Amino acid sequence: MENLYKKWTVQGKYVIITGATSRIGLAAAKELANLGAVLGLVARNQTKANKVAAQIKSSTDNRAKVDVFMADMASQESIYSVAADILERWPRVDILINNAGAIFLSRKLTVDGLEMTWAVNHIAPFLLTTLLLDRLKESGHARVITTASHGHKMARRGIRFDDLSAERLYRIPQSLLGGANIRYGETKLANIMFTAELGRRYEGKGVTTACFDPGLVSTNFNQDNGWLACLTMAVMKMFSRSPEKGAETLVWLADSDEMNVSSGGYYKDMQRAIPSESARNMDAAKRLWKISEEQIRY
């Protein structure tokens, strides 16, 4: 008897990915293109994005289809604009990969009045996902994948809902568990909680959601925060895995059969992992969702 089960693959699927012009994102984009995905790269630098698109096409003997969309993840207006552009240009979106991220050692505010690390790492993927959700649902078997981190465990007190602007947090002296690093940990914790709550809200509605820990990866991350940050990253690179290794779980989540991916889950090295206790607090996840909606300018 013919096997009627059709294996899920990323081939022919339309994949939107942020932060794809370097390291983990670039490694994932290249591999997804090799697997036959149609890519939409969301980037801030037009020249760099065009070069990456050309590089990906060249690496696949021009078989790959790659679009470029421009957006500044620190600006909600820009995110609204890029979402509208995606929806206008593509009638189908199968996979959204929220990969862009940053850390700022000194407290900065966005044009929307939000603390910068929080805005880029959490509010940006939250907003872009919600703007594309209806289109994702239309595909019937959509996936939303977000890059989290083992660093979420630095947020030992969970998300400080009483200090969302991080005014007090950034007063903690800079160290391994200084204010900026704790803040980064909070945003990665928010990624996991957002993933879990999105999975709960859209269970059975055609959207599978997951996040993952890429491990300690050799990247250009944290290179614009002064000599101490650069020195720290240089030392960490000695113990880091390659971007290709860091991207393995991301690609696996995009290409794996649905039976292998539990919606709302946190993954590491291509298997389900257990995040911190704070990350498993669903009451806090619901609260985070509500607050995130309030921080978005409609």
Side-chain angles (χ1 to χ4, degrees):
M1 181 176 180
E2 183 182 359
N3 184 0
L4 298 180
Y5 173 72
K6 185 178 180 180
K7 181 182 183 297
W8 165 281
T9 72
V10 78
Q11 184 175 8
K13 303 294 192 299
Y14 193 74
V15 181
I16 296 292
I17 177 170
T18 69
T21 57
S22 64
R23 305 299 176 168
I24 296 173
L26 177 56
K30 286 180 176 179
E31 183 57 25
L32 291 169
N34 285 330
L35 292 171
V38 181
L39 299 180
L41 310 181
V42 179
R44 186 175 56 178
N45 185 308
Q46 179 87 59
T47 301
K48 190 173 183 180
N50 288 340
K51 287 182 179 178
V52 166
Q55 182 182 353
I56 293 173
K57 290 177 182 178
S58 176
S59 68
T60 60
D61 296 324
N62 289 318
R63 288 181 290 102
K65 297 179 181 179
V66 186
D67 294 324
V68 171
F69 299 94
M70 302 311 301
D72 179 355
M73 292 292 107
S75 165
Q76 292 185 24
E77 181 180 3
S78 184
I79 295 169
Y80 276 108
S81 179
V82 76
D85 192 16
I86 292 168
L87 294 174
E88 180 180 351
R89 290 166 60 182
W90 276 93
R92 181 186 179 101
V93 178
D94 299 287
I95 301 173
L96 170 62
I97 298 173
N98 295 306
N99 175 67
I103 182 173
F104 298 88
L105 295 189
S106 59
R107 183 174 177 271
K108 301 177 182 179
L109 299 182
T110 68
V111 293
D112 303 299
L114 300 178
E115 188 277 316
M116 189 72 77
T117 305
W118 179 260
V120 172
N121 292 1
H122 169 59
I123 294 298
F126 179 89
L127 177 56
L128 183 59
T129 300
T130 54
L131 291 173
L132 297 180
L133 262 176
D134 285 344
R135 183 62 51 85
L136 284 159
K137 285 192 297 182
E138 289 172 1
S139 78
H141 297 280
R143 296 188 180 183
V144 177
I145 303 166
T146 302
T147 302
S149 169
H150 180 80
H152 79 276
K153 295 183 179 180
M154 289 190 290
R156 295 176 178 175
R157 287 176 45 186
I159 293 175
R160 304 178 189 216
F161 289 107
D162 61 346
D163 188 29
L164 283 177
S165 64
E167 290 185 58
R168 296 195 301 275
L169 187 55
Y170 267 94
R171 295 186 193 132
I172 299 175
Q174 206 39 247
S175 66
L176 181 61
L177 283 177
N181 289 311
I182 296 173
R183 182 55 157 180
Y184 175 76
E186 283 189 345
T187 65
K188 295 293 101 180
L189 174 59
N191 292 156
I192 299 171
M193 295 166 70
F194 160 65
T195 296
E197 178 62 7
L198 181 64
R200 186 191 70 81
R201 286 171 176 253
Y202 286 86
E203 184 178 5
K205 297 180 180 179
V207 179
T208 298
T209 176
C211 61
F212 74 102
D213 170 15
L216 182 59
V217 178
S218 177
T219 73
N220 289 327
F221 190 73
N222 201 17
Q223 294 297 302
D224 299 321
N225 288 311
W227 69 269
L228 182 58
C230 289
L231 178 61
T232 300
M233 295 307 295
V235 173
M236 290 175 66
K237 282 185 179 181
M238 297 170 60
F239 306 96
S240 300
R241 55 176 56 176
S242 69
E244 290 73 21
K245 183 66 176 177
E248 275 187 352
T249 299
L250 192 168
V251 174
W252 176 79
L253 286 168
D255 192 52
S256 182
D257 286 338
E258 285 185 307
M259 65 180 64
N260 294 328
V261 182
S262 177
S263 192
Y266 171 73
Y267 291 82
K268 182 177 181 180
D269 295 331
M270 294 182 285
Q271 58 184 342
R272 186 77 181 261
I274 301 176
S276 68
E277 183 177 351
S278 294
R280 303 194 302 273
N281 185 333
M282 289 307 297
D283 287 336
K286 294 174 185 176
R287 184 181 181 186
L288 173 65
W289 188 285
K290 183 175 184 297
I291 288 173
S292 301
E293 289 181 324
E294 293 169 353
Q295 289 188 322
I296 290 172
R297 290 171 43 223
Y298 287 101

